[in-house]
Amino acid sequence: MELAGIAAYLVSFFTFVGIYAILVLGLNMQWGFSGQFNIGVAGFFAVGAYTSAILTTPESPWHVGGYGMPFLVGIVGAVIASALLGLLIGWVTARLRTDYLAIATIGIAETLRLIIANERWLTNGVRGMSNIERPYADFFNALGLSSAMGSLIVVCAFLVMVYFLVERARQSPWGRVQRAIRENEPAAEASGKNIGRFRLQAFVVGSAIMGLGGALYAHYFGFLSPEAFLPLYGTFLVWVMLIAGGSGNNKGALLGTVIIWAIWSGSEFLMSTALPDALSGQSGPLRVLLIGVLLQVILIKRPEGLLPEKAPKTVPFGKQK
Amino acid sequence: MDLLIDLIQLTVYGVVLGSILALGAIGVSMIFGILRFAHFAHGDLMTIGAYVGLSFIAVTDAPIWWALPAGMTGAALTALVVDQAVYKHIRRTQPVILLISSFGMALVLRSIVQIIWGPSVQSYPTGIQRPWWIWEISIVPNHVWIMLATVVIVTALHLFLTRTRIGKAMRAMSDNMDLALVTGIPAERVIMITWLIGGALAAGAGVLLGMDSRLTPTMGWNILLPVFAAAILGGIGRPYGAIAGGLVIGMAMEISTLFLEPSYKPAVAFVIMVAVLIVRPQGIFKGAL
C-alpha cells in the first residue's frame, strides 16, 4: 500500500473513532454516571443522522426535505431531535427497573429502524438517502485539504467539545449527585435530591450527545440506510467500547473506543488477507464472534475495564468564585 | 361479513403465533424468576434449536417431527454450556452485568449459526400443504400440529413443576430465594435445570417457528421483542402468565395487519408492552411460578 493509501486509511480510521467516541461518551453519561441501561443507542444514533440528513440535503424526489440548510443547522436539529426522543423515553421509563429500561430502549431502537425501513416518503426506505455533503468541503478545499480530512477536523473539534463538557459535568456537584444515585438511590433521596429529575437530565444529555454522533456520521459517510443502524453496529460495538475502556471514566471511554475500533476494523483487514477464498463469506460472522467472545472475557476477567473509574478531583475552592 | 371472516382467520394465525411466543416467553420468565435478569440471548437459542433440528432430520432422514426433540436437546445443551462457561462466573456480581453479557452472547450465538449453517434462508421439508377449509376459514395442517405440540410441551412442563421435587424446588426459589436457600435447596442444580428447560422451550419455539415460516440466522432475534412483550404482559417471573401473554400478543400482532403494514408486527407487540409497563408494571395476570 502506498503512502497516500495509508494516509487515507488513517483519516477514515480516526474519523470513525471520533464518531464512535462521541457515542461512547453519550452512553457513559447514561450508564457510567447515572446507571441507566440503554441498549437502544442505535435509535438515537439513527434519529440524529436522519434529522441532519433531511435538514441539509438538496431537494430529492425520493424523500421529504430539500431544505438545503447549512451543516450547523443540521447538527443543531439532530441534537434537538434526539434530546426530545430521550426526554420522551426517559419520561415514560422513569419509574422502571433496569431490565425493563433495557427492553424498552431496544424496542424503541428496533421500532425506529422498522419505521426508517418502511416509510419510503420520509427516508427513502432501504434504498437509503444520499447526497449528504461533507462539512465545509469548499472551505477545506480552498486550504488544500481533502473533504475527508476536513470531516476529521470537524469531528475532532466536536469530540473535544463533548469531552470537556462531560468531564466538567462529571466533576461538578451535578455529576456527584448522579453517582450518588447510581450507588445508593435511597441515600441520595434521603439527602433531598430529586432522583427522577437527575436521572432524566442525564438520559436526555446522553441522548443528545448520541444524536450529535449520528449527525456527524451522516455527514462523513454521505449515505444513510437502515443497515447502518442494526443493533450490532449502532449499539453493541458502543457498549463493548465502554465496558472495555471502563464505564464511568471518560478517558477510559476514549481508550476503549480506539482499541475496540482497531480490533474491529483490523480484523476485517486481517481476515480478508488470511482467510482462504472459500471462507471469505464468513469473515463477517467471525469478526462478530471475536468481539462477542472478547466482551465475555472482559466481563469475567476485568469487569471494571482498562481504566477503572476514579473518584474525581473536586474543583478547588478558590476557582469556584 | 368479510371483515368477520378476516378477523376469525387472523385469530387462528394469532393463536399459532401466540403458541410459539408462549414457549419462548415461559423460558424468559423462568430464567428471570430464578436468576433475576432478562435473558437477551433467548431468541438466538431458538435459532440454534431450529437449525439443530434441521440438521438432524437432514442427516438421519427421520420424519420432520423429530426436529422437535433433536432441536430441544441441542438448545438445552447449548444453554447449559453457555451458563457454565460464562454466566456462572458473573452471577455473583450485579444482575445487570449478566444482562450485558447475554446481549453479547446473542450475537455470539447468531454468528456461530451463520458460520455453521450459512447466511441463506432454509426451510424444513414440509412439502406443499393443502389447507382444510372450514366454512371460509382455511387451516393449514401444520398450524394444527404447532398448537398441539405447544399443548403437549406446556402440559409436560406443568407436570414437571407441580409433581417433581426439583420442579417444586424451582418454584420455591422463584418465590423466595433466601427462604429456599435456608431450607437446603441445591441452588446450583436448580439453576442448571432451569437453563436446560429454558433452552429446550426456546428450541421448541424455534422449531415451530421454522415450520410456520422459514429458517434464517436472525429469526430468533427478530421475535425476541414480542417474546419479551409476552413475558412482561404475563407478569415477568410467572410462566403461566407468559402463556396468556403469548396468546394475547400473538393475536394482537396478527389482527393488526388488518390496518397496518405486516412489517410493523413487532412494533405492535412493543407498543402493547410499553402500555403495560406504564399502567401495570407487575403484569396483568396473577399466579406465581
Side-chain angles (χ1 to χ4, degrees):
Chain A
M1 214 180 348
E2 76 272 32
L3 209 62
I6 294 175
Y9 176 77
L10 283 179
V11 168
S12 132
F13 179 89
F14 281 108
T15 311
F16 272 110
V17 166
I19 291 167
Y20 266 103
I22 290 174
L23 293 177
V24 176
L25 289 175
L27 182 64
N28 196 23
M29 174 69 81
Q30 295 177 343
W31 168 244
F33 293 5
S34 94
Q36 298 181 79
F37 198 93
N38 176 3
I39 45 174
V41 179
F44 299 96
F45 185 40
V47 165
Y50 274 97
T51 305
S52 184
I54 288 170
L55 285 174
T56 58
T57 46
E59 206 158 327
S60 150
W62 309 115
H63 55 77
V64 292
Y67 305 112
M69 300 280 207
F71 168 71
L72 275 183
V73 176
I75 294 279
V76 171
V79 168
I80 292 175
S82 46
L84 286 177
L85 180 68
L87 187 66
L88 180 73
I89 297 176
W91 178 69
V92 167
T93 57
R95 291 167 304 134
L96 299 182
R97 285 207 327 261
T98 307
D99 295 270
Y100 290 156
L101 182 61
I103 297 170
T105 47
I106 198 155
I108 294 268
E110 290 289 276
T111 306
L112 281 170
R113 199 164 57 82
L114 284 180
I115 293 173
I116 290 169
N118 285 297
E119 300 301 324
R120 294 262 303 270
W121 61 272
L122 183 66
T123 61
N124 201 22
V126 287
R127 289 201 213 155
M129 288 174 80
S130 51
N131 282 331
I132 310 162
E133 279 182 20
R134 286 190 167 157
Y136 308 118
D138 296 337
F139 172 74
F140 286 112
N141 276 336
L143 291 180
L145 294 170
S146 68
S147 64
M149 192 67 204
S151 293
L152 176 60
I153 293 172
V154 171
V155 167
C156 285
F158 275 106
L159 176 60
V160 169
M161 218 169 75
V162 169
Y163 180 81
F164 277 106
L165 186 89
V166 291
E167 190 59 22
R168 188 66 187 80
R170 188 177 75 91
Q171 293 169 351
S172 70
W174 184 82
R176 273 204 299 281
V177 175
Q178 294 293 352
R179 279 192 305 281
I181 293 173
R182 183 192 68 191
E183 295 300 326
N184 193 337
E185 211 177 290
E189 196 163 21
S191 353
K193 302 298 176 195
N194 185 339
I195 303 217
R197 218 171 62 214
F198 273 100
R199 296 180 77 168
L200 188 59
Q201 284 165 354
F203 196 81
V204 169
V205 173
S207 307
I209 295 174
M210 290 170 190
L212 171 68
L216 291 173
Y217 170 83
H219 286 280
Y220 170 65
F221 207 61
F223 175 75
L224 291 179
S225 75
E227 282 281 295
F229 305 102
L230 286 172
L232 167 64
Y233 307 109
T235 303
F236 180 62
L237 280 180
V238 178
W239 265 99
V240 179
M241 286 165 178
L242 182 60
I243 304 255
S247 46
N249 185 333
N250 288 322
K251 286 195 195 68
L254 296 184
L255 181 69
T257 311
V258 176
I259 292 176
I260 297 299
W261 186 254
I263 294 175
W264 175 253
S265 61
S267 65
E268 181 179 25
F269 178 70
L270 202 72
M271 286 189 189
S272 64
T273 53
L275 280 182
D277 281 349
L279 288 175
S280 61
Q282 301 287 25
S283 75
L286 271 174
R287 288 166 67 205
V288 178
L289 185 64
L290 177 78
I291 296 281
V293 171
L294 184 69
L295 172 69
Q296 309 298 346
V297 172
I298 297 171
L299 284 177
I300 293 172
K301 296 286 177 202
R302 202 177 162 84
E304 72 277 21
L306 289 169
L307 295 180
E309 187 182 6
K310 272 183 258 168
K313 275 182 287 185
T314 44
V315 179
F317 185 66
K319 278 192 191 169
Q320 276 181 332
K321 301 251 169 93
Chain B
M1 207 55 192
D2 279 353
L3 183 70
L4 183 67
I5 290 170
D6 280 349
L7 209 59
I8 297 174
Q9 182 76 67
L10 287 173
T11 307
V12 173
Y13 292 153
V15 173
V16 173
L17 178 61
S19 312
I20 296 169
L21 294 180
L23 286 180
I26 296 170
V28 165
S29 230
M30 282 174 64
I31 291 167
F32 191 90
I34 307 266
L35 293 165
R36 306 278 153 201
F37 82 107
H39 186 225
F40 270 82
H42 214 73
D44 296 272
L45 278 179
M46 292 181 195
T47 317
I48 296 247
Y51 276 92
V52 169
L54 180 76
S55 284
F56 182 80
I57 51 173
V59 170
T60 59
D61 248 344
I64 176 170
W65 280 101
W66 280 94
L68 203 52
M72 287 170 83
T73 314
L77 292 177
T78 310
L80 188 64
V81 168
V82 166
D83 178 59
Q84 293 297 305
V86 180
Y87 297 157
K88 190 183 175 184
H89 303 285
I90 38 186
R91 244 186 248 145
R92 297 200 189 289
T93 56
Q94 20 168 352
V96 67
I97 303 295
L98 274 172
L99 208 161
I100 301 173
S101 171
S102 75
F103 184 56
M105 193 50 76
L107 284 155
V108 168
L109 292 179
R110 194 193 315 166
S111 49
I112 291 174
V113 166
Q114 280 191 29
I115 290 167
I116 299 178
W117 286 281
S120 54
V121 176
Q122 305 192 41
S123 58
Y124 289 116
T126 46
I128 294 172
Q129 294 201 325
R130 211 176 261 278
W132 300 321
W133 288 91
I134 301 169
W135 190 33
E136 284 182 60
I137 315 291
S138 82
I139 295 179
V140 189
N142 250 356
H143 286 168
V144 178
W145 297 124
I146 288 173
M147 288 186 248
L148 275 180
T150 307
V151 171
V152 170
I153 294 174
V154 168
T155 312
L157 178 76
H158 172 73
L159 292 177
F160 171 80
L161 285 177
T162 50
R163 302 290 157 84
T164 66
R165 230 180 132 69
I166 196 88
K168 287 178 192 166
M170 206 176 266
R171 282 160 59 208
M173 267 179 82
S174 169
D175 259 1
N176 188 331
M177 184 68 84
D178 297 330
L179 204 57
L181 291 180
V182 269
T183 49
I185 282 174
E188 204 52 35
R189 203 159 87 220
V190 171
I191 290 174
M192 282 164 76
I193 300 223
T194 306
W195 281 111
L196 284 174
I197 294 177
L201 290 171
V207 171
L208 297 179
L209 183 66
M211 286 181 182
D212 192 31
S213 55
R214 270 173 279 186
L215 286 81
T216 65
T218 52
M219 62 188 277
W221 176 261
N222 290 339
I223 206 169
L224 184 67
L225 210 54
V227 165
F228 275 143
I232 289 175
L233 189 63
I236 200 155
R238 296 187 189 131
Y240 296 115
I243 300 169
L247 290 175
V248 173
I249 296 283
M251 281 194 263
M253 282 169 75
E254 292 294 348
I255 290 171
S256 76
T257 57
L258 276 178
F259 42 87
L260 271 178
E261 292 267 327
S263 46
Y264 279 127
K265 275 200 253 178
V268 172
F270 172 68
V271 169
I272 297 175
M273 181 179 79
V274 169
V276 173
L277 283 179
I278 295 172
V279 183
R280 264 185 85 87
Q282 71 274 37
I284 49 176
F285 298 101
K286 286 251 168 73
L289 180 67

